[in-house]
Amino acid sequence: MAPSRVMIAGSGVIGLRTALELLKRKIPVVLRSPKTPLDTSVCSQGAGGLWMPFHCDDPRTHRWAIETLDEIYPIGVDKSDPLVEIVPTLTLHRDHYGPTTADFIASDYKLGTGGTSRLPQWSTDPRLEFQNLTIEMLWYQNSSYKLKIPTDQEIMAAGYKYGWLFNPPIVDCPKMLESMLHEVEAKAADVDVESGIEYESIEHLVEDAKSLGCDGVVNCTGLGSKKLCNDDNVLGARGILHFYSRHDCTRREDIPFREEGQDVNILCEEGPWGSPEMPCYIIARADTIVIGGSYLEGDTEIDIRKEEQTRLLENARLMGVDTEKSSPIGSWTGFRPYRPITRLELDNDVTNNGVRLVHSYGYGGSGWTVFTGAAKEATALLLDD
């Protein structure tokens, strides 16, 4: 039986969007969180906001991501709404990843079993206008695009021969969280996102839900689920960022189109500039230039280490920032809630005891890429659709 009143535990992007999905279905919602999502230390606040599946290995990720793209892409296209912006994005690679000439002339190609591509599934969505280019092709096109990227000579000298160029949405994470919270506050039955209470166990969570008159619960506590659910599969994947003013950030003098060009996101997880654990990237988000980063599973250091500060400055320089004329205006450390397989499922043990409980956590670095799809699936599980 579908619940008549639901408590959402957690007010990050997953929790807020799940609350809104239930409210759309006319289900009364109670929202609880120990810390407001507007606190700058919250993981959803510091995220870059780039739509692109990142370190979320669940096979359902693509579906959730496309459902989220369906929701936020039109907002980005509508340039009057500042919450989402479409920003050209370039990822740098040493290998091609797509079908090669050898694939197309292989003896099995005509049988439909040749031409194997290692490109991500999301790259086929036509809205993204995805291109897998040689750096020479990229620079030929850049005479028209006028993107603020390093020269082709610099990129190729580092060993990068190919680039994926596409046009994804970028969410202004702090402003979107504020907008979503205000909408939930206006429509929900009861909201307390500064309770200071961290649930110690599932029993504690369910007991509180019952005391609030709820017969349904969605657990969106992210990294808190490690303790709450005694889930050793949950890890904090530490990320570090520097922030620059987008309006005052000076680009290196050798960056073509540095004055009149378009801002561009650049990401690299391959050497020498980056690695999977130490990605190098620049993201243009609202009024901010975000420089990253790291993806260190199990690293619990809250502060940015001295050597990491130095590396972030070098990442900014590699991405085209003139670090002698521009300085960071802020920094951030956060912990993405990674789990090898996202836990988005009905908890039958609890559900059979009178409260219908759905868990929704462990989205790694893809929270802002999958939040709509995750909310829709959590709601469907809760309401037994």
Side-chain angles (χ1 to χ4, degrees):
M1 182 175 176
S4 58
R5 181 178 167 103
V6 176
M7 185 176 85
I8 306 292
S11 63
V13 62
I14 300 296
L16 288 174
R17 184 59 184 82
T18 304
L20 289 172
E21 190 66 25
L22 285 161
L23 289 166
K24 288 180 182 180
R25 304 287 289 272
K26 309 301 183 184
I27 303 296
V29 166
V30 172
L31 179 64
R32 286 293 183 270
S33 177
K35 183 184 295 184
T36 172
L38 306 186
D39 189 300
T40 56
S41 68
V42 172
C43 186
S44 292
Q45 274 272 344
L50 168 67
W51 184 96
M52 186 181 77
F54 178 76
H55 289 280
C56 187
D57 301 324
D58 194 293
R60 298 169 290 180
T61 298
H62 177 73
R63 171 165 50 83
W64 299 331
I66 295 301
E67 289 179 333
T68 304
L69 186 65
D70 290 342
E71 180 167 282
I72 64 174
Y73 184 83
I75 304 174
V77 172
D78 177 9
K79 297 183 180 180
S80 66
D81 192 330
L83 291 178
V84 182
E85 179 183 2
I86 306 298
V87 181
T89 298
L90 173 67
T91 66
L92 297 174
H93 304 276
R94 304 177 72 88
D95 297 320
H96 184 261
Y97 290 101
T100 65
T101 301
D103 290 319
F104 289 123
I105 65 174
S107 59
D108 59 355
Y109 180 71
K110 291 183 179 180
L111 300 176
T113 55
T116 301
S117 174
R118 291 178 289 157
L119 296 175
Q121 187 178 4
W122 54 262
S123 66
T124 61
D125 193 293
R127 291 170 292 187
L128 301 174
E129 301 177 289
F130 184 95
Q131 299 181 77
N132 187 10
L133 303 169
T134 65
I135 299 303
E136 294 92 341
M137 293 167 63
L138 169 67
W139 265 93
Y140 176 78
Q141 294 191 20
N142 205 40
S143 60
S144 298
Y145 294 147
K146 293 182 169 56
L147 304 177
K148 297 177 184 178
I149 57 178
T151 65
D152 52 345
Q153 294 93 338
E154 182 178 1
I155 294 172
M156 290 191 292
Y160 304 110
K161 298 178 181 179
Y162 303 95
W164 298 352
L165 184 64
F166 56 105
N167 294 304
I170 309 292
V171 176
D172 184 345
C173 304
K175 292 293 178 61
M176 182 67 88
L177 286 169
E178 183 178 9
S179 175
M180 294 169 75
L181 177 60
H182 288 167
E183 186 175 355
V184 172
E185 288 175 330
K187 298 177 179 178
D190 184 358
V191 174
D192 185 355
V193 292
E194 296 183 271
S195 68
I197 298 172
E198 295 188 3
Y199 295 110
E200 299 289 330
S201 65
I202 292 296
E203 292 73 23
H204 184 196
L205 173 67
V206 170
E207 180 182 314
D208 196 34
K210 287 181 176 180
S211 74
L212 294 166
C214 298
D215 55 354
V217 180
V218 185
N219 168 29
C220 304
T221 58
L223 194 57
S225 292
K226 183 178 182 68
K227 181 178 181 180
L228 171 63
C229 302
N230 194 26
D231 189 344
D232 291 336
N233 289 314
V234 179
L235 294 172
R238 180 172 173 268
I240 55 172
L241 303 173
H242 272 175
F243 300 122
Y244 291 77
S245 167
R246 188 170 177 182
H247 303 295
D248 300 326
C249 184
T250 302
R251 303 307 172 100
R252 290 172 6 207
E253 291 188 2
D254 61 345
I255 298 294
F257 314 115
R258 61 192 293 265
E259 298 290 347
E260 76 280 16
Q262 291 190 73
D263 284 331
V264 59
N265 307 315
I266 310 174
L267 301 93
C268 184
E269 284 192 282
E270 300 177 18
W273 290 356
S275 69
E277 295 77 24
M278 296 290 187
C280 174
Y281 58 85
I282 180 171
I283 295 175
R285 187 193 75 186
D287 295 330
T288 305
I289 294 290
V290 179
I291 299 291
S294 69
Y295 194 90
L296 300 172
E297 295 178 6
D299 187 342
T300 59
E301 177 58 49
I302 296 176
D303 298 320
I304 300 180
R305 303 176 178 98
K306 183 177 180 180
E307 63 272 18
E308 293 173 334
Q309 297 275 11
T310 301
R311 187 170 58 79
L312 286 173
L313 290 172
E314 174 61 8
N315 285 358
R317 188 194 68 79
L318 289 169
M319 298 293 97
V321 175
D322 188 333
T323 52
E324 294 185 358
K325 296 181 179 178
S326 298
S327 299
I329 59 172
S331 61
W332 181 86
T333 306
F335 302 90
R336 308 171 183 93
Y338 174 74
R339 194 174 189 271
I341 296 296
T342 299
R343 192 174 187 192
L344 180 46
E345 63 184 14
L346 185 69
D347 190 326
N348 289 310
D349 291 338
V350 174
T351 297
N352 291 335
N353 290 323
V355 172
R356 195 169 178 88
L357 170 64
V358 169
H359 296 285
S360 181
Y361 64 86
Y363 296 95
S366 291
W368 281 104
T369 298
V370 304
F371 67 98
T372 300
K376 288 178 181 293
E377 182 156 335
T379 298
L381 288 168
L382 192 69
L383 303 183
D384 198 21
D385 286 356

